[in-house]
Amino acid sequence: MAMLWKFMRVAKYSKTALSPKIKVRGIPTHSRHSSSKSVTSDFAASAPCSNTVELLGKAYPQDDYSNVTEKILSKVGKNLHNKKHHPLWLIKEQVKDHFYKQYVGRRGTPLFSVYDGLSPVVTVQQNFDSLLIPQNHASRRREDNYYLNRDHMLRAHTSAHQWDLIHSGFDAFLAVGDVYRRDTIDNTHYPVFHQMEGVRLFSCHELFSNIKDGEGLQLFEQGHRTAHKQECHTMEAVRLVEFNLKQALTKLMTHIFGDGLQVRWVDCYFPFTHPSFEMEINFQGEWMEVLGCGVMEQQLVNS
């Protein structure tokens, strides 16, 4: 069984058989395991010619879906979240440090591995299909995304790497990176921003080991989907995962913003989690969303 969470949009460039585990999606960053090297902006992108777009050392044939502008191409490869002392780097390190100290594996090493150098160029399958996003979903629209062609695009969220990392065998990880959406620029929106995301998978033992008489509890059942759970998850498992998820993220926000923080949880919808929640914090007298999270769809884990 798994849970997942996605943290922080930073605006202005300067968020079959049942598996024996359940998965959670989360937030942190730094690397016990390094997925790929960052690419410097010196050779990150070149302006599109008539037939191809060259980006990060690869050429992508253009077609009727190609809509990446030279201005956006010039942003790819800057990797501000990896530039030491940059505000994005400072936040990343703060979150990473918190998770490294809070979650330690059996051998005394950090439980979460961090990936902050994954390529922002992904396939449409990675960005949408692997996350169970329907073919007719509004988030796929050409007007909302930067497509290199019908098959490749600039990632619209760090979740585009989720399936590949799970498939590689990682059951607790953080992904960080620049993401791209065709937003209208205002004081809280810019076409390039950054997200941090976390995922954690739980085995039955990991979830119930500290619960009195927990040896009799199960992750899965043949039930019915309700507003509070998936059809394959037991209510006991969902409640524990939800508690674990919200507690972990509340501690993180307190670590970042300090004690006395006012937090509230709002039920919401994501195609890849159920139940799903958004966290809002009280900022200057108004409630501001800071992250989305939820219990990962078991179908995604099983796939």
Side-chain angles (χ1 to χ4, degrees):
M1 187 171 184
M3 66 182 180
L4 127 75
W5 64 95
K6 188 181 299 179
F7 169 64
M8 271 190 34
R9 168 179 186 131
V10 180
K12 293 191 173 178
Y13 197 64
S14 137
K15 164 186 192 264
T16 55
L18 292 175
S19 165
K21 291 192 172 185
I22 295 182
K23 176 176 184 178
V24 182
R25 153 176 156 185
I27 287 180
T29 92
H30 198 77
S31 47
R32 254 166 54 208
H33 309 287
S34 195
S35 56
S36 65
K37 294 182 179 179
S38 300
V39 182
T40 61
S41 58
D42 294 338
F43 58 93
S46 63
C49 64
S50 57
N51 298 317
T52 63
V53 175
E54 292 195 10
L55 189 59
L56 303 178
K58 294 183 179 180
Y60 298 90
Q62 293 193 93
D63 57 26
D64 59 328
Y65 248 62
S66 305
N67 65 355
V68 184
T69 65
E70 291 185 36
K71 183 69 172 179
I72 295 300
L73 286 174
S74 71
K75 305 293 186 182
V76 180
K78 288 184 178 294
N79 299 311
L80 300 183
H81 59 288
N82 288 333
K83 292 188 181 300
K84 196 170 184 179
H85 304 308
H86 189 280
L88 292 170
W89 178 88
L90 292 171
I91 296 173
K92 181 188 77 169
E93 291 298 303
Q94 190 175 12
V95 175
K96 178 193 73 177
D97 183 64
H98 173 76
F99 271 83
Y100 273 24
K101 291 177 179 177
Q102 288 288 319
Y103 301 96
V104 180
R106 294 179 181 178
R107 300 179 180 179
T109 56
L111 180 66
F112 283 84
S113 52
V114 179
Y115 300 89
D116 55 11
L118 297 168
S119 174
V121 179
V122 297
T123 64
V124 171
Q125 194 277 336
Q126 287 174 303
N127 200 78
F128 296 121
D129 300 332
S130 71
L131 296 168
L132 311 178
I133 297 174
Q135 288 288 336
N136 60 350
H137 197 273
S139 65
R140 291 176 177 257
R141 295 189 311 172
R142 186 171 176 270
E143 293 78 9
D144 294 334
N145 299 282
Y146 287 106
Y147 286 93
L148 298 175
N149 51 43
R150 283 185 173 270
D151 297 320
H152 294 86
M153 62 187 298
L154 297 179
R155 63 187 169 207
H157 44 200
T158 49
S159 302
H161 304 293
Q162 191 181 115
W163 190 95
D164 293 311
L165 290 170
I166 296 168
H167 185 68
S168 297
F170 301 111
D171 55 14
F173 58 83
L174 307 167
V176 193
D178 43 326
V179 296
Y180 302 79
R181 296 182 192 171
R182 296 185 68 183
D183 285 342
T184 300
I185 299 174
D186 58 26
N187 64 340
T188 59
H189 294 83
Y190 193 79
V192 185
F193 56 103
H194 293 75
Q195 286 183 339
M196 302 173 65
E197 165 168 338
V199 171
R200 185 177 179 186
L201 281 69
F202 287 100
S203 66
C204 194
H205 172 74
E206 289 168 332
L207 195 58
F208 298 127
S209 60
N210 294 323
I211 304 299
K212 184 179 180 181
D213 301 323
E215 60 273 5
L217 300 176
Q218 298 295 322
L219 294 178
F220 303 109
E221 66 177 8
Q222 296 299 325
H224 301 281
R225 178 173 288 242
T226 70
H228 306 290
K229 62 180 287 294
Q230 298 172 40
E231 56 271 26
C232 58
H233 293 160
T234 65
M235 183 56 73
E236 294 85 0
V238 172
R239 290 303 187 201
L240 273 176
V241 168
E242 180 181 333
F243 173 80
N244 184 301
L245 178 61
K246 290 181 176 179
Q247 184 183 54
L249 296 176
T250 300
K251 285 182 177 179
L252 175 64
M253 292 299 108
T254 301
H255 173 71
I256 293 176
F257 295 110
D259 295 328
L261 188 68
Q262 287 183 277
V263 171
R264 72 179 183 185
W265 294 95
V266 179
D267 293 339
C268 65
Y269 164 79
F270 299 118
F272 34 82
T273 57
H274 182 75
S276 304
F277 315 97
E278 289 177 345
M279 175 195 274
E280 297 180 350
I281 63 172
N282 194 291
F283 177 70
Q284 295 182 349
E286 297 184 2
W287 289 100
M288 179 176 68
E289 176 198 340
V290 291
L291 62 86
C293 61
V295 179
M296 189 175 293
E297 286 283 356
Q298 193 63 36
Q299 180 185 344
L300 195 158
V301 184
N302 294 345
S303 70

